[in-house]
Amino acid sequence: MSNNNDVLLKVVDLKMHFPIYRGVFQRQVGAVHAVDGVSFDVKRGETLGLVGESGCGKSTTGRTILQLYKPTAGEVFFKGSNLVSLKSEEMRWMRRQMQMIFQDPYASLNPRMTVAEIVGEPLTVHNVATGKEIQEHVMHLLEIVGLNPSFAGRYPHEFSGGQRQRIGVARALALQPSFIICDEPISALDVSIQAQVVNLLEELQEQFNLTYLFIAHDLSMVRHISKRVAVMYLGVIMELANRDDLYLEPMHPYTQALLSAVPIPDPVADVNRKRVILEGDVPSPVNPPSGCRFRTRCPIAEKICAESRPEFREVKAGHFVACHLVS
Amino acid sequence: MAETTPSGDNTLLRETVSAREIGRMERFLGPENYRIVMGLLKTPASIAGFILIGFFILIALAAPVIAPPVNAKDPYKIPRDGFKSEPQPMGSLWKTKQPPLPFWWESIMGTDQWTHILGTSQGQYDVFYGIIWGTRTAFRTGLMVTIATFLIGIIVGSISAYYGGWVDNVIMRVVDVFMTLPFILAALILATILTPRIGKSLYPAIIALITFGWMTYARIIRGDILSIKERDYIMAARVIGVKDSRILFRHIIPNAIFPTLVLASLAVGDVVLSFAALSFLGIGTEVGYADWGQVLSFARNWITSLDTYWYIIVWPGLALVMYVMGFNLVGDALRDVLDPRMRGKT
Amino acid sequence: MLTYIIRRLLMVPLLLFGVTVLIFAMLQFLSPIERSALYVRDIPRNDKAVEGIIKRYKLDRPMHEQYWFWLVGTVDASTGKRAGGILFGDFGYSRTGAEPVATLIRNRFPNTLDLTIWAVAPVILVGIWLGVQAAVHQNSIIDQAARIFSIVGTSFPTFVFGLLMLMFFYVKLGWFPPGRMSDASSIIVRSEEFHTYTTLLTFDALLNGRFDVFLDALRHMAMPILTLSYISWATFLRVTRSSMLETLRMEYITTARAKGLSEHDVIFKHAQPNAMIPVVTLAGFSVILLLGGVVITETVFNYPGIGQAAAIAAAQLDVITVLGFALFNGLILIVSNLVVDVLYAVVDPRVRLS
């Protein structure tokens, strides 16, 4: 694993607002603030976990980073170049270095293409290889992800969920990228298969020196694989820290609440620990609360929380929190 | 190989990989389409439909054998036996210009004399001949119109769905306008306009039916493309860096086209219905052309004596109804199979 | 809902524009001399006179000028009479009808409307009833019969069906004659005492208290009504059935049953109102079907409506007349589609409340 701590991906104040049109003339009446000012770095060779409830904007963040949506504002620097300002053909070229693994292995593979065509397509469209080379390359990739190369001529629906996810991984690896966004890659799988896929991802990371942005909806899922973890709520990152810091010493009340909801396999400790139970529902991203996004459900919210938006600041070395009340 | 396979549980995976054996057909069509085809092959109604369609295909192919033409260069011209106006009954002798005897005639009919098996219509046109060769006309017109409307619909619908925005808006409004005129009336007008310009033939009606027949396909394919566009594998293709045109032709259209294709192939029956209606109104082919609607239109002049001349409407009418019904039976089963709520029930 | 209706209303001028352009485009297939029938009754044989007409009615001008002229026409300064101008209801002169197209439509449309009304009402009532029955007793004899009926119905060409009807009920049995009315009725209708209120024969007969005329009219309309409507019956039945089946599978129906409602209440209070929503759309669509159907039906039964006139004109290649009918039908359809869409918004709470 690489030891240098240089930054591979830098996201600066990224915003993604989806407009809402209403009325006779379809005027824009508002917007879904899916991602609303997100900043973080991903270091070369590490895995950054991005955690949040469903609908908090974590998948949108991933997709916006890859320029699948045109961001409303903000910058995304990858290896120093700003992806937001790239022309579409330049961006297409850039995609060789950054790939994605999708949540739903059923939906993310074209049902009319064979495994060989799916895994080989990145090579074809980027003219990396031709004819026989592609075949050999595909066979090799299938072996790497633990699939029998003799199944290359089969269609996705002939495989189980875990096997399909391996096909998705092989496709992502085809262009030898340095950065992969894993968008909840194990959420749709059976529990028994999840560990296999996580292990595979870890082994591949080591073998090919990959950098991951690992998106998940619950903290326990990313604990194992991540080096650092970011917690997202309603389009904003609330806390970002090294894994151990975050799990042992959560500073943001939202992180504390989330962690207290994770079951502990020790009945005594489980009974004795302090539980933080959140009340109410996640507010609508169309009209997010003023000031701190979390204040409407925060157990310790004060007046200031409604007035100004808390700065996302470094409280300890490498430990960022967006809360007025944490010092 | 061991060095390149990081996962330790590979042996297990390889053994379980083909838990489900899959036929060549299913692999070729994909799971969705395979389900549609199998659904159709399992319903008794659609089997009956396929048998009817197959029967008519056989007749169309064997037309020169079943009813040999008098003039091989112009087989669609129904041979006429004299010029008397009044229809002759079934089984009456063929007096003038007897066409060549088909090979099956003597063994089945027990005579070497051509008779008008199904009688003659007004002007001594042989009804039997008209029905047999009319089958070919039915397939020709049906296929031409269906293929053309399907292609136009696919192109227009794809453009509309793919570009979206104002392009989509304009195209869909044009579709609305075309759908505002009642289909038969619109086709009637265009055929009326075209007839003096390109002459009496199959083509004025065919062009008219094409011009006002493509809209449904455009709408359906547009809807399907819009839904496919949102699938994850399209997003995955963009992540890989696939160009827009390749996404459209390689990923979207192959997945979106099948339901429309099946619907279109079943429309061959409906087209013939509309075509026959135009023929019946006197728009379309020359008098005496082997076309069911044309043969039927003779009946208009004999309404008050239809009890005597019933065979001039019953036989061509039966051919037309059976032909259309063959397609409708399959179509009816298809609607059940395509209905997403029926999924998983076949 | 208001937004929806306003947007829908704004569509109307757009559609009107589209339909007029479409028809105008088809007119362009005709030579300027043929097109002059839009403005003058008799086309002179004299070359000079023809040229004058072409000049006067701008038939040789650029497209957009011609289109505008076609829309608004011109007013003769000396006589004050208007020539042309479809916006003012002048659709040109019918060669086959030997009168202005607008007059032809005015004289014949009441007959068509009379027929359509009598064809629509039973379709909606019986078709929906049968559809509900078929759905409630799924796979019973009534369901199977309905299915067979709808498949056979949609496979039967209108004119073959009509001819067979004529063969049995007119030629063989002599029950229902073709045409509009008997000679006896015709004398009564033309007499002084018979007042015209609605121009629809059946309704006028009732309003005049002449039941003999009413029954005679119905007798003449029986076969056309059946011929015109059997396809709609089949379609209505199918849509009602599948929509009802879908609704009956919903969980709120199970809930209604579980809380102990009678099966009658479950079906007619909970299921049917929801199942009717797609049927409303179909009702609008059936107007299109019917208006298309009148051409064939009226021709087969020699019924003097606009459909028959259109068929005669088409057979004689009288394009101006047929286009006039198309324009008229287009207007009717735009209005009826509008009504259906608004109705839909009123019926469906999902549209109403959004």
Side-chain angles (χ1 to χ4, degrees):
Chain A
M1 202 174 276
S2 93
N3 287 322
N4 54 348
N5 274 353
D6 57 337
V7 172
L8 181 73
L9 179 84
K10 186 177 183 66
V11 177
V12 183
D13 202 20
L14 188 69
K15 288 183 185 171
M16 186 64 233
H17 298 173
F18 296 103
I20 303 169
Y21 300 103
R22 283 275 162 74
V24 176
F25 298 106
Q26 295 290 295
R27 265 200 311 247
Q28 190 183 338
V29 293
V32 177
H33 298 68
V35 179
D36 206 14
V38 160
S39 305
F40 60 86
D41 296 344
V42 182
K43 299 194 177 83
R44 207 179 283 274
E46 78 164 345
T47 299
L48 175 67
L50 183 59
V51 180
E53 294 166 82
S54 52
C56 74
K58 55 193 189 302
S59 285
T60 309
T61 306
R63 290 173 178 190
T64 313
I65 289 172
L66 286 186
Q67 306 299 306
L68 295 172
Y69 303 136
K70 184 135 192 54
T72 313
E75 263 106 50
V76 178
F77 295 97
F78 180 78
K79 289 186 175 167
S81 58
N82 188 352
L83 301 182
V84 178
S85 62
L86 288 185
K87 294 198 185 72
S88 71
E89 191 56 25
E90 293 168 333
M91 186 59 216
R92 212 170 71 78
W93 188 245
M94 208 58 154
R95 295 195 187 283
R96 299 174 52 156
Q97 300 182 50
M98 42 204 320
Q99 283 299 316
M100 186 155 177
I101 297 168
F102 290 82
Q103 172 177 8
D104 184 350
Y106 276 83
S108 60
L109 303 175
N110 186 338
R112 304 304 311 274
M113 287 166 86
T114 63
V115 171
E117 288 171 322
I118 292 171
V119 177
E121 188 169 37
L123 305 169
T124 316
V125 298
H126 285 286
N127 299 322
V128 178
T130 47
K132 220 163 164 234
E133 285 168 44
I134 294 184
Q135 282 305 314
E136 285 166 10
H137 210 112
V138 167
M139 297 299 162
H140 183 64
L141 282 165
L142 290 180
E143 254 174 48
I144 288 175
V145 298
L147 286 173
N148 188 335
S150 66
F151 295 140
R154 302 208 168 193
Y155 287 87
H157 61 276
E158 301 177 58
F159 294 89
S160 70
Q163 288 165 342
R164 278 181 220 177
Q165 197 55 291
R166 285 170 193 262
I167 300 170
V169 173
R171 171 176 60 188
L173 286 178
L175 292 167
Q176 299 176 326
S178 46
F179 175 58
I180 297 181
I181 294 182
C182 308
D183 188 1
E184 303 204 40
I186 55 174
S187 306
L189 301 178
D190 288 349
V191 179
S192 56
I193 310 290
Q194 288 184 346
Q196 285 182 17
V197 174
V198 168
N199 287 340
L200 174 69
L201 289 173
E202 279 187 320
E203 284 161 31
L204 294 172
Q205 181 169 42
E206 207 162 318
Q207 194 177 354
F208 299 106
N209 193 18
L210 295 170
T211 306
Y212 289 149
L213 176 64
F214 197 98
I215 300 172
H217 63 252
D218 100 46
L219 277 167
S220 55
M221 234 178 233
V222 292
R223 182 167 197 168
H224 175 68
I225 195 170
S226 306
K227 185 157 175 268
R228 293 189 302 146
V229 175
V231 178
M232 211 170 159
Y233 180 82
L234 213 58
V236 177
I237 293 185
M238 292 294 171
E239 184 164 8
L240 192 164
N242 285 329
R243 175 181 64 190
D244 293 339
D245 288 351
L246 189 106
Y247 283 84
L248 298 175
E249 265 182 84
M251 289 183 172
H252 198 284
Y254 179 59
T255 319
Q256 289 165 355
L258 282 184
L259 278 174
S260 82
V262 175
I264 307 176
D266 173 358
V268 182
D270 198 44
V271 168
N272 290 339
R273 70 177 165 156
K274 192 173 115 241
R275 274 286 176 87
V276 186
I277 292 168
L278 294 179
E279 279 167 25
D281 288 322
V282 183
S284 158
V286 179
N287 285 309
S290 65
C292 175
R293 292 291 148 95
F294 184 57
R295 69 171 166 86
T296 52
R297 300 171 75 196
C298 183
I300 57 169
E302 288 178 11
K303 200 163 152 257
I304 184 174
C305 300
E307 284 162 358
S308 70
R309 190 167 161 173
E311 197 191 333
F312 188 55
R313 63 206 156 88
E314 192 163 9
V315 179
K316 270 171 37 182
H319 198 140
F320 296 81
V321 181
C323 181
H324 291 296
L325 308 173
V326 171
S327 52
Chain B
M1 215 199 290
E3 310 91 63
T4 52
T5 51
S7 223
D9 45 15
N10 272 328
T11 43
L12 179 76
L13 271 165
R14 280 180 197 173
E15 278 158 24
T16 53
V17 97
S18 54
R20 202 155 74 87
E21 260 318 312
I22 278 175
R24 188 178 279 190
M25 186 77 171
E26 175 165 8
R27 191 173 297 167
F28 176 70
L29 289 171
E32 279 287 284
N33 304 337
Y34 180 73
R35 194 185 56 78
I36 293 172
V37 171
M38 285 321 285
L40 284 184
L41 292 179
K42 277 180 192 158
T43 327
S46 68
I47 294 172
F50 281 125
I51 291 174
L52 274 176
I53 297 171
F55 174 70
F56 279 105
I57 291 177
L58 278 182
I59 290 185
L61 290 177
V65 184
I66 301 174
V70 178
N71 176 0
K73 276 189 189 141
D74 192 9
Y76 290 98
K77 202 162 179 251
I78 306 176
R80 48 193 312 198
D81 184 12
F83 296 92
K84 248 182 26 192
S85 158
E86 200 149 315
Q88 296 299 309
M90 291 161 63
S92 54
L93 288 186
W94 195 298
K95 296 180 205 93
T96 59
K97 282 205 281 178
Q98 200 189 70
L101 273 186
F103 75 94
W104 51 271
W105 184 267
E106 277 196 66
S107 50
I108 293 179
M109 307 303 284
T111 161
D112 58 353
Q113 171 71 31
W114 241 137
T115 56
H116 299 291
I117 313 173
L118 302 179
T120 64
S121 203
Q122 174 187 328
Q124 304 317 313
Y125 292 103
D126 186 57
V127 174
F128 177 74
Y129 189 96
I131 290 175
I132 298 296
W133 284 87
T135 313
R136 279 199 170 190
T137 309
F139 277 108
R140 268 190 355 172
T141 50
L143 288 175
M144 274 165 104
V145 172
T146 307
I147 291 171
T149 46
F150 175 74
L151 287 179
I152 297 173
I154 293 286
I155 293 168
V156 173
S158 311
I159 292 174
S160 194
Y162 192 73
Y163 287 101
W166 67 267
V167 177
D168 182 35
N169 231 315
V170 168
I171 291 180
M172 282 302 115
R173 293 297 81 76
V174 171
V175 166
D176 286 344
V177 168
F178 269 78
M179 289 186 119
T180 302
L181 296 178
F183 176 63
I184 277 289
L185 195 62
L188 186 68
I189 305 162
L190 195 56
T192 310
I193 291 174
L194 291 175
T195 304
R197 274 150 194 90
I198 57 185
K200 265 198 168 265
S201 67
L202 291 176
Y203 293 103
I206 286 180
I207 295 173
L209 292 179
I210 292 171
T211 311
F212 291 99
W214 54 270
M215 296 86 76
T216 328
Y217 300 127
R219 278 197 174 170
I220 296 174
I221 195 81
R222 172 181 173 271
D224 284 346
I225 289 180
L226 286 182
S227 104
I228 300 266
K229 226 173 149 181
E230 298 304 314
R231 303 270 169 97
D232 273 1
Y233 57 80
I234 302 303
M235 176 96 46
R238 291 178 57 204
V239 170
I240 292 167
V242 182
K243 281 183 189 149
D244 285 358
S245 56
R246 189 181 155 100
I247 289 185
L248 180 64
F249 290 111
R250 193 82 178 81
H251 293 268
I252 297 181
I253 289 186
N255 282 293
I257 211 168
F258 192 75
T260 321
L261 188 69
V262 179
L263 281 179
S265 63
L266 295 173
V268 174
D270 278 344
V271 167
V272 171
L273 214 56
S274 314
F275 190 85
L278 290 182
S279 283
F280 177 76
L281 291 173
I283 298 292
T285 54
E286 299 274 3
V287 176
Y289 194 88
D291 164 48
W292 295 336
Q294 164 77 241
V295 176
L296 276 163
S297 70
F298 289 127
R300 282 171 69 178
N301 300 329
W302 303 93
I303 283 174
T304 47
S305 37
L306 275 182
D307 48 347
T308 323
Y309 303 134
W310 57 273
Y311 46 85
I312 65 173
I313 59 165
V314 168
W315 299 123
L318 193 68
L320 188 49
V321 171
M322 287 295 140
Y323 180 90
V324 179
M325 189 147 40
F327 288 97
N328 278 353
L329 281 168
V330 182
D332 193 63
L334 181 73
R335 257 187 298 277
D336 282 354
V337 180
L338 279 183
D339 188 342
R341 291 175 297 265
M342 302 290 284
R343 293 243 162 110
K345 292 207 164 185
T346 43
Chain C
M1 180 169 70
L2 197 64
T3 325
Y4 173 79
I5 292 177
I6 292 173
R7 291 193 61 192
R8 191 60 192 74
L9 276 172
L10 286 178
M11 282 280 298
V12 171
L14 212 68
L15 280 176
L16 279 175
F17 174 71
V19 170
T20 51
V21 167
L22 184 63
I23 294 203
F24 182 74
M26 290 201 274
L27 271 172
Q28 298 310 307
F29 281 102
L30 302 183
S31 68
I33 304 164
E34 289 173 291
R35 267 182 279 142
S36 64
L38 286 169
Y39 307 105
V40 293
R41 184 182 292 264
D42 301 302
I43 301 168
R45 302 196 178 275
N46 176 333
D47 279 356
K48 255 228 156 92
V50 166
E51 218 162 275
I53 285 171
I54 290 176
K55 277 258 143 42
R56 174 142 28 104
Y57 298 108
K58 304 192 175 180
L59 293 167
D60 54 350
R61 309 291 297 170
M63 287 295 174
H64 60 277
E65 272 185 58
Q66 274 196 48
Y67 173 71
W68 181 247
F69 193 81
W70 178 63
L71 287 184
V72 297
T74 178
V75 179
D76 192 318
S78 54
T79 61
K81 276 176 91 178
R82 178 175 290 282
I86 56 159
L87 290 185
F88 300 94
D90 188 339
F91 293 176
Y93 290 93
S94 166
R95 175 157 55 79
T96 46
E99 56 188 339
V101 177
T103 318
L104 195 63
I105 292 175
R106 202 176 312 125
N107 289 340
R108 282 169 170 260
F109 184 63
N111 288 340
T112 301
L113 188 61
D114 204 9
L115 178 62
T116 322
I117 290 172
W118 286 98
V120 166
V123 163
I124 293 182
L125 296 176
V126 181
I128 290 178
W129 182 79
L130 276 177
V132 171
Q133 292 306 314
V136 172
H137 309 285
Q138 199 188 351
N139 296 328
S140 66
I141 295 173
I142 187 169
D143 185 26
Q144 296 299 343
R147 191 181 185 124
I148 291 170
F149 166 66
S150 77
I151 292 177
V152 176
T154 43
S155 310
F156 238 94
T158 329
F159 58 95
V160 173
F161 186 83
L163 286 171
L164 289 176
M165 297 269 294
L166 274 173
M167 195 167 108
F168 282 109
F169 295 111
Y170 171 54
V171 183
K172 272 231 156 70
L173 300 170
W175 292 355
F176 304 118
R180 184 71 177 108
M181 55 185 126
S182 64
D183 291 345
S185 302
S186 154
I187 292 169
I188 298 168
V189 172
R190 287 209 201 114
S191 67
E192 293 277 312
E193 300 100 76
F194 193 88
H195 294 285
T196 306
Y197 300 100
T198 60
T199 68
L200 305 180
L201 182 61
T202 50
F203 292 86
D204 278 350
L206 285 177
L207 291 173
N208 279 292
R210 295 301 305 240
F211 287 102
D212 50 341
V213 176
F214 175 71
L215 288 178
D216 180 64
L218 273 195
R219 213 160 83 88
H220 283 84
M221 279 161 59
M223 289 192 299
I225 287 172
L226 211 60
T227 309
L228 193 56
S229 58
Y230 75 88
I231 288 184
S232 311
W233 278 30
T235 339
F236 254 81
L237 203 163
R238 292 290 289 165
V239 172
T240 314
R241 175 182 175 274
S242 64
S243 168
M244 192 73 188
L245 274 181
E246 184 198 340
T247 315
L248 284 174
R249 271 203 285 267
M250 296 276 181
E251 279 174 10
Y252 73 90
I253 295 297
T254 317
T255 313
R257 286 206 178 107
K259 75 183 180 189
L261 284 188
S262 73
E263 194 60 22
H264 181 275
D265 278 5
V266 168
I267 289 165
F268 292 101
K269 289 198 178 144
H270 287 251
Q272 202 179 4
N274 284 297
M276 282 308 106
I277 292 171
V279 181
V280 171
T281 327
L282 190 69
F285 188 68
S286 71
V287 176
I288 303 180
L289 267 182
L290 289 174
L291 280 177
V294 292
V295 179
I296 302 275
T297 307
E298 293 182 354
T299 306
V300 171
F301 294 104
N302 198 24
Y303 184 93
I306 56 169
Q308 189 205 27
I312 293 173
Q316 309 262 336
L317 305 180
D318 175 5
V319 177
I320 301 286
T321 309
V322 189
L323 280 176
F325 284 117
L327 199 55
F328 180 69
N329 267 339
L331 297 185
I332 294 180
L333 283 184
I334 289 174
V335 173
S336 60
N337 282 344
L338 176 73
V339 171
V340 167
D341 281 359
V342 170
L343 252 177
Y344 193 87
V346 173
V347 174
D348 191 345
R350 283 166 298 189
V351 180
R352 189 168 69 220
L353 300 175
S354 73

